[in-house]
Amino acid sequence: MELLTFGRDEANSSYWGEVHGPFMKEELVCQAQNMMTSRGIFMNNDPLKFAMPLLMLQMSVIIVTSRLIFRVLQPLKQGMITAQVLTGVVLGPSFLGHNVTYMNMFLPAEGKIIIQTLSNVGFVIHLFLLGLKIDGSIIRKAGSKAILIGTASYAFPFSLGSLTVMFFSKTMGLPNAVVSCTSSAISLSSMTSFPVTTTVLAELNILNSELGRLATHCSMVCEVCSWFVALAFNIYTRERTMNSFCALLMILLLLLVIHFLFRPLIVWLTERKTKSTNNKDVVPFYPVLFLLSVASLSGEAMGVHAAFGAFWFGVSLPDGPPLGTELAAKLEIFASNLFLPCFIAISGLQTNFFEITESHEHHVVMVEVILLITYGCKFLGTAAASAYCNTQIGDALCLALLMCCQGIIEVYTTIVWKDAQVVDTECFNLVIITLLVVTGISRFLVVYLYDPSKRYKSKSKRTILNTRQHNLQLRLLLGLYNVENVPSMVNLLEATYPTRFNPISFFTLHLVELKGRAHAVLTPHHQMNKLDPNTAQSTHIVNAFQRFEQKYQGALMAQHFTAAAPYSSINNDVCTLALDKKATLIVIPFHKQYAIDGTVGQVNGPVRSINLNVLEAAPCSVAIFIDRGETEGRRSVLMTNTWQNVAVLFIGGKDDAEALALSMRMAEKPDLNVTMIHFRHKSSLHDEDYSDMSEYNLISDFKSHAANKGKVHYVEEIVRDGVETTQAISSLGDAYDMVLVGRDHDLESSVLYGLTDWSECPELGVIGDMLTSPDFHFSVLVVHQQQGDSLAMDESYKLPKVEHHQKIGDTVMQPRFSAEEGFTTIDLGKL
């Protein structure tokens, strides 16, 4: 090693100089001993001349700056990766780092190696977590559409970009070094990594949308294509020696050891520890860390980056709970939130705009043109393949933009290539800048071009009122978060009185927050992974409803689903399933849970956001269920003590009419007392002029029921203002098990005078918000009729008229009770 220059910094007690490295001249720093921690400014020590204080300063500045830039870029819908790279650019030689004094203070030569080492450790763990969240079987689930689009998304830019390089090389006389760098940059620009795509989709709240699921599968196919090309290129360019062959063989052996030794060992330890502690959230944390270190060290020993072994070790392990969820919760705090920003910022620190502009070569513009052509071919190739697969033009363009988004994987690859001199500094700068610009523009355009709710947003909505008027089958979608939601939902189904001649179809949707996995899931219960703990909870829910189905065999049709998605976008699954299954009413739990003494026990903010999002875009009527079954002492499906008394509060309006239409069905049940409490102002006693005749007819029908059936009652409450209305509602006491009420009313009604000034939960309306008070002990169903025209009626769900010769005990099943929709059937012989 030849020493070229040599100097000494007395203040730092360090020696530095330039030496010949394996690829270029490098800086050699000799640090004096005992320079870890400072003795303090009072002992005439500068803290920034010591390793630990300098590291704390660097990490603090990087994290704070990245957060500030992220806040500034939020209106442009940019991700945290973009903010962290720009943080490095701002703090690096392109801006602040152009000042030599600042650079020697903030990032001196002796301070680089420590932060680079720690940030690389964080990146290795982060890449392990990305691999852990990947379900390897998703590639087998990709259909022909995703395979075609994913393949075209890589083949088009890679082939046409390579042809462009060949053309410029022949016509412009590009040097071999530039051709080599540009060819590597083309292969990088052509790829779309699965972890990056799912991260972008989650940040844009479209992970579980129709476009999000297609992009997820396409990105996996595209990434597999890039793996095959990289492997083929590596084999082709390696020297034909025994050492090269052994290196490839050892890498293959490492992957086999990870899959057939490390994976079974961790799965066995997880099952063993779960059984011994009777806690499904306990995982073998330290054995996982040990094997992670072994896999990473083995990768380095075989000539690949430590992140290679960590990533494939993560891919080999089961995603989702308990392993993926617990490991992500423990490791993401310091790996992804503390060290990863430093790793990404370092890529920006290595970017120098002045080297681009001051480069003595004249090929920078040509390289940038080639990169833009490659991205353009990727966009056009993806859009063309999507259009060929009959994807709507708007969705095809958005999918093409999503496939152009790149992130942490591409940044990491660029850094590794720069360190190995695969790309030079100018090409590195251009790749990072182009990546940021293309990804930023693509994210921004996707947000404003794609609306995941457009599929179920329309002027026409399904309502209970129209179902009743057209004699159609009632179809309910029940959203549940846990087993505790089941008993009251079963009581609600039983109160709707399903019979063989007036059956009900219902669909249960178990809503699970996405944790420990990268892709969203919406699947029928019977197709779920049996090893997933969410499957066990879903099974308990399904079993409870099947016991209820047994009681009403032939009068109910059921189908059970599970949705695992971020709570910020899981409303898309609710609305999509409601549209696909032609649901009449969506029933979702209230975000507050009540304790046994009637007080509010738990408040779940994300659930409230879900309810608001469903109310905004649902394709049918929506009901928010305030469940006080705990206060009533009925938490078991097997208990026979079900609802006996139901009331519906009627003030006026479409929502009240929708609630009244549902109560009319309940009034058909022989052993259920149903009471309509009609609030009327004194001045309207002699005014029967209803603006909506359907509302008038509905009230008249209920009065007829009340006159002919002893268990149906019609009560008028004459009030003068909101105070008397409140007093009348407060007098309900414990007389009812369940109260139905509309969400919105005529706000100009004198009945509500003084009640509309303040509301804690606007999603419940004035009266519904009042009924959340701990003073009431009955459950409440707040019904909202979506605004819009009535949908064209599907005659296939029209109920046949009951013939007079049919007997009540007739066992003939309705024609729509078939297996064409995969409904659950109950075999009494097996129960």
Side-chain angles (χ1 to χ4, degrees):
M1 182 182 297
E2 180 185 354
L3 192 62
L4 299 178
T5 62
F6 197 75
R8 179 177 179 182
D9 189 340
E10 294 289 346
N12 288 344
S13 297
S14 61
Y15 298 89
W16 55 269
E18 287 188 346
V19 298
H20 285 298
F23 302 109
M24 59 181 177
K25 294 178 182 179
E26 295 181 352
E27 207 170 47
L28 174 67
V29 178
C30 300
Q31 180 75 41
Q33 291 184 345
N34 302 322
M35 295 297 293
M36 182 61 66
T37 57
S38 169
R39 289 181 294 174
I41 57 176
F42 298 105
M43 300 298 292
N44 296 323
N45 275 167
D46 183 357
L48 298 183
K49 305 302 181 182
F50 295 82
M52 183 61 72
L54 180 60
L55 176 65
M56 295 296 102
L57 175 67
Q58 290 169 337
M59 295 178 65
S60 301
V61 171
I62 287 174
I63 292 174
V64 171
T65 306
S66 63
R67 289 289 175 179
L68 291 176
I69 293 178
F70 178 69
R71 292 295 298 270
V72 172
L73 295 178
Q74 267 190 325
L76 299 178
K77 309 301 179 182
Q78 302 304 300
M80 182 57 73
I81 299 294
T82 301
Q84 290 164 351
V85 174
L86 289 178
T87 296
V89 173
V90 171
L91 299 177
S94 297
F95 287 93
L96 297 179
H98 204 55
N99 185 303
V100 178
T101 304
Y102 156 81
M103 205 63 176
N104 289 336
M105 182 272 294
F106 179 71
L107 201 67
E110 65 272 12
K112 292 180 182 178
I113 187 66
I114 298 177
I115 190 171
Q116 285 180 333
T117 302
L118 278 178
S119 62
N120 269 274
V121 171
F123 174 73
V124 167
I125 298 176
H126 178 74
L127 212 61
F128 163 73
L129 293 175
L130 289 182
L132 183 63
K133 295 177 181 180
I134 295 176
D135 180 8
S137 64
I138 192 174
I139 189 65
R140 298 197 302 268
K141 301 175 184 177
S144 57
K145 181 177 181 179
I147 293 175
L148 176 61
I149 297 174
T151 304
S153 181
Y154 185 81
F156 263 69
F158 183 76
S159 57
L160 295 180
S162 299
L163 290 175
T164 304
V165 172
M166 294 174 60
F167 174 77
F168 283 170
S169 176
K170 297 294 184 181
T171 57
M172 305 293 183
L174 294 179
N176 292 333
V178 175
V179 172
S180 177
C181 291
T182 309
S183 299
S184 300
I186 286 174
S187 64
L188 182 69
S189 304
S190 302
M191 68 179 290
T192 302
S193 60
F194 174 79
V196 171
T197 302
T198 53
T199 301
V200 171
L201 293 171
E203 291 175 349
L204 299 181
N205 289 330
I206 56 175
L207 180 61
N208 57 331
S209 65
E210 187 177 12
L211 178 65
R213 289 192 168 88
L214 178 59
T216 299
H217 289 91
C218 292
S219 64
M220 176 62 83
V221 174
C222 185
E223 187 167 14
V224 170
C225 291
S226 66
W227 293 342
F228 281 117
V229 172
L231 179 62
F233 181 77
N234 188 283
I235 294 175
Y236 177 77
T237 56
R238 275 183 178 270
E239 297 180 1
R240 306 299 194 270
T241 63
M242 183 58 67
N243 288 338
S244 298
F245 176 77
C246 290
L248 288 175
L249 190 63
M250 293 302 292
I251 293 174
L252 179 60
L253 180 62
L254 173 62
L255 296 177
L256 294 176
V257 169
I258 288 175
H259 185 76
F260 292 104
L261 181 60
F262 289 3
R263 171 189 164 88
L265 179 60
I266 295 300
V267 171
W268 176 76
L269 288 174
T270 303
E271 294 175 350
R272 182 170 175 267
K273 199 163 188 177
T274 300
K275 293 178 181 178
S276 61
T277 59
N278 196 25
N279 186 351
K280 295 182 178 180
D281 293 333
V282 176
V283 297
F285 182 67
Y286 294 107
V288 170
L289 286 185
F290 172 73
L291 293 181
L292 173 61
S293 302
V294 172
S296 302
L297 180 60
S298 302
E300 285 285 345
M302 296 171 189
V304 294
H305 197 278
F308 176 84
F311 176 77
W312 286 106
F313 178 49
V315 171
S316 69
L317 297 179
D319 66 321
L323 198 61
T325 304
E326 286 298 302
L327 289 175
K330 288 181 170 65
L331 296 176
E332 277 185 343
I333 296 176
F334 69 90
S336 302
N337 299 330
L338 189 62
F339 295 142
L340 183 65
C342 299
F343 177 85
I344 301 173
I346 287 173
S347 67
L349 287 169
Q350 297 177 9
T351 304
N352 189 349
F353 293 161
F354 293 99
E355 289 194 15
I356 296 178
T357 56
E358 296 174 1
S359 175
H360 57 83
E361 300 289 345
H362 301 286
H363 308 297
V364 173
V365 175
M366 301 306 301
V367 173
E368 181 62 25
V369 168
I370 293 172
L371 288 176
L372 293 177
I373 290 176
T374 303
Y375 279 110
C377 292
K378 186 174 183 66
F379 175 82
L380 294 176
T382 306
S386 303
Y388 177 79
C389 295
N390 297 323
T391 304
Q392 293 182 358
I393 298 300
D395 290 352
L397 295 177
C398 290
L399 179 60
L401 291 170
L402 286 171
M403 296 298 284
C404 289
C405 292
Q406 296 182 321
I408 181 64
I409 302 297
E410 291 77 14
V411 171
Y412 150 71
T413 306
T414 310
I415 293 175
V416 171
W417 284 354
K418 181 177 182 293
D419 293 340
Q421 292 295 292
V422 175
V423 296
D424 56 19
T425 303
E426 289 80 8
C427 189
F428 172 83
N429 294 336
L430 290 173
V431 169
I432 292 296
I433 294 170
T434 309
L435 183 150
L436 289 179
V437 172
V438 171
T439 301
I441 294 175
S442 298
R443 288 174 61 108
F444 182 81
L445 291 177
V446 168
V447 170
Y448 288 98
L449 290 178
Y450 182 69
D451 181 8
S453 62
K454 68 180 180 180
R455 182 169 178 263
Y456 42 83
K457 270 186 177 179
S458 63
K459 294 182 179 180
S460 302
K461 307 290 182 180
R462 296 183 183 274
T463 66
I464 303 174
L465 199 58
N466 287 331
T467 299
R468 174 179 173 80
Q469 291 173 347
H470 293 83
N471 193 32
L472 296 176
Q473 183 188 102
L474 182 64
R475 302 169 70 83
L476 305 178
L477 174 60
L478 309 179
L480 305 101
Y481 295 96
N482 48 52
V483 179
E484 284 72 21
N485 299 142
V486 173
S488 293
M489 290 289 189
V490 169
N491 282 340
L492 176 63
L493 284 174
E494 190 167 21
T496 55
Y497 192 46
T499 65
R500 295 181 182 276
F501 309 115
N502 197 3
I504 291 177
S505 296
F506 74 94
F507 313 91
T508 65
L509 181 60
H510 182 202
L511 302 171
V512 180
E513 185 176 11
L514 185 68
K515 292 181 179 179
R517 58 164 52 100
H519 64 285
V521 175
L522 175 59
T523 181
H525 171 72
H526 65 274
Q527 295 181 6
M528 288 188 65
N529 182 4
K530 303 302 180 184
L531 298 178
D532 191 337
N534 292 327
T535 306
Q537 189 175 29
S538 296
T539 301
H540 292 316
I541 293 174
V542 171
N543 290 341
F545 280 103
Q546 286 183 342
R547 289 180 179 274
F548 175 68
E549 292 173 61
Q550 177 186 358
K551 181 179 179 180
Y552 287 91
Q553 186 183 20
L556 285 172
M557 296 190 295
Q559 197 172 8
H560 309 285
F561 296 86
T562 297
Y567 273 176
S568 58
S569 60
I570 202 169
N571 57 286
N572 291 330
D573 289 331
V574 178
C575 296
T576 298
L577 190 62
L579 180 67
D580 290 343
K581 297 301 178 183
K582 300 177 182 175
T584 309
L585 178 68
I586 299 172
V587 182
I588 46 180
F590 189 46
H591 69 277
K592 295 181 180 179
Q593 295 182 2
Y594 291 85
I596 196 168
D597 60 352
T599 60
V600 177
Q602 183 179 358
V603 179
N604 195 327
V607 171
R608 184 184 187 185
S609 299
I610 295 172
N611 294 347
L612 291 171
N613 292 334
V614 172
L615 281 169
E616 181 182 357
C620 62
S621 297
V622 180
I624 298 179
F625 193 12
I626 304 173
D627 181 12
R628 289 195 176 95
E630 185 98 7
T631 64
E632 300 165 11
R634 295 187 291 274
R635 304 304 303 170
S636 173
V637 180
L638 299 179
M639 289 185 178
T640 57
N641 188 16
T642 56
W643 294 340
Q644 302 295 324
N645 299 283
V646 173
V648 55
L649 308 183
F650 190 92
I651 295 175
K654 291 184 176 181
D655 289 356
D656 279 349
E658 193 79 352
L660 183 58
L662 182 61
S663 69
M664 292 282 287
R665 180 175 182 115
M666 295 180 179
E668 300 289 342
K669 189 175 182 182
D671 56 347
L672 182 65
N673 293 299
V674 179
T675 302
M676 174 184 174
I677 304 176
H678 190 180
F679 292 88
R680 303 186 64 185
H681 192 263
K682 187 176 181 179
S683 61
S684 66
L685 288 179
H686 304 289
D687 183 12
E688 297 291 343
D689 183 21
Y690 289 89
S691 57
D692 189 351
M693 287 304 299
S694 62
E695 183 178 316
Y696 173 78
N697 295 332
L698 199 63
I699 296 174
S700 299
D701 288 347
F702 193 93
K703 288 180 178 180
S704 300
H705 274 70
N708 297 325
K709 295 185 179 182
K711 288 184 174 291
V712 181
H713 311 280
Y714 175 80
V715 177
E716 282 190 355
E717 288 284 350
I718 309 302
V719 295
R720 290 179 295 182
D721 53 23
V723 175
E724 293 189 0
T725 301
T726 303
Q727 293 173 348
I729 293 175
S730 300
S731 66
L732 295 178
D734 297 329
Y736 300 100
D737 302 305
M738 173 72 173
V739 170
L740 289 83
V741 64
R743 176 198 181 198
D744 297 327
H745 317 277
D746 182 6
L747 298 182
E748 297 181 357
S749 172
S750 301
V751 174
L752 299 176
Y753 182 76
L755 298 180
T756 59
D757 298 334
W758 180 84
S759 179
E760 181 182 359
C761 300
E763 67 270 23
L764 299 178
V766 177
I767 304 301
D769 184 61
M770 182 192 307
L771 295 176
T772 61
S773 169
D775 298 334
F776 300 99
H777 299 284
F778 46 74
S779 297
V780 182
L781 191 70
V782 180
V783 183
H784 175 64
Q785 182 188 99
Q786 293 293 86
Q787 297 299 318
D789 302 328
S790 60
L791 280 173
M793 295 297 109
D794 187 351
E795 295 296 328
S796 61
Y797 294 101
K798 191 173 183 65
L799 299 174
K801 295 181 179 180
V802 180
E803 300 294 339
H804 294 290
H805 66 271
Q806 287 181 310
K807 299 179 181 180
I808 298 299
D810 195 353
T811 59
V812 176
M813 191 177 295
Q814 294 294 339
R816 292 297 300 166
F817 282 72
S818 64
E820 65 181 76
E821 295 182 271
F823 286 100
T824 305
T825 56
I826 304 297
D827 188 352
L828 295 178
K830 296 182 179 180
L831 295 175

